[in-house]
Amino acid sequence: MAMKNTSDYIEEHIKALLEQASIAELKRSDLASQFEVVPSQINYVIKTRFTASRGYVVESKRGGGGYIRIGRITFSDKHELVHNLLTNMGKEVSMTVFSDILQMLFDESLLTEREGNLFLSVATDEVLGEEAPAIRARMMREILRRIDRKEG
């Protein structure tokens, strides 16, 4: 069993807040004090673990009265989720974003764990080569189109 680091605890805390309310409004300095870290570590957790590809929207205002608002993106149905992903996907997809999207599809019961792991295994830079980001984007578009047809 892997040991948790401070970033894991900060992420869990924010997710717990989001379970209580649809939007969490946080003060970077308060969180940093609570977890005894520098504010930049709070920024790191938010930038890496609360991304759009993981289903979050983040609004931030710096300064004395600054805040961070984090909300979970919700969709009325699976078709809307798939359509939103298709619409907002660029021509290239990093392995991190590819993995995040697969996780979201799994969380929404649109993909099994086995299917997700198979997709992850063939989408690496080692397998796809120099054109990996562009190929991953094309792969994800096709996965999403197939899921949308299956759901419709």
Side-chain angles (χ1 to χ4, degrees):
M1 184 174 180
M3 291 186 52
K4 291 184 180 183
N5 62 36
T6 305
S7 294
D8 295 330
Y9 289 113
I10 295 167
E11 177 185 14
E12 285 177 3
H13 175 75
I14 294 171
K15 285 182 175 179
L17 292 173
L18 286 168
E19 285 180 18
Q20 297 169 9
S22 59
I23 296 176
E25 187 166 312
L26 316 162
K27 285 202 164 274
R28 191 178 285 107
S29 59
D30 291 348
L31 264 181
S33 295
Q34 182 178 344
F35 287 96
E36 298 178 352
V37 297
V38 294
S40 62
Q41 185 159 3
I42 303 301
N43 291 343
Y44 168 79
V45 171
I46 291 167
K47 285 185 182 213
T48 59
R49 301 185 185 199
F50 293 91
T51 62
S53 64
R54 289 186 178 196
Y56 296 95
V57 62
V58 177
E59 178 186 330
S60 178
K61 180 181 177 244
R62 294 188 180 265
Y67 59 82
I68 301 167
R69 281 192 196 116
I70 303 173
R72 186 91 171 121
I73 299 169
T74 56
F75 297 92
S76 61
D77 61 17
K78 309 296 185 200
H79 173 74
E80 185 182 353
L81 167 67
V82 171
H83 180 72
N84 183 276
L85 288 168
L86 281 167
T87 302
N88 293 307
M89 188 179 313
K91 294 191 183 297
E92 294 187 347
V93 171
S94 70
M95 190 64 197
T96 301
V97 170
F98 189 84
S99 177
D100 289 349
I101 294 171
L102 290 177
Q103 183 64 51
M104 187 186 315
L105 295 172
F106 172 76
D107 292 345
E108 294 295 325
S109 302
L110 293 171
L111 200 67
T112 67
E113 183 177 6
R114 183 168 190 255
E115 290 167 337
N117 285 330
L118 288 170
F119 288 133
L120 284 173
S121 71
V122 298
T124 64
D125 290 349
E126 293 79 25
V127 171
L128 300 177
E130 284 184 31
E131 298 295 317
I135 295 169
R136 267 194 295 272
R138 292 194 306 267
M139 286 172 60
M140 184 53 71
R141 275 193 184 76
E142 191 56 33
I143 291 167
L144 292 168
R145 286 185 192 113
R146 296 279 175 137
I147 287 172
D148 199 32
R149 277 184 252 160
K150 187 173 97 178
E151 290 297 309

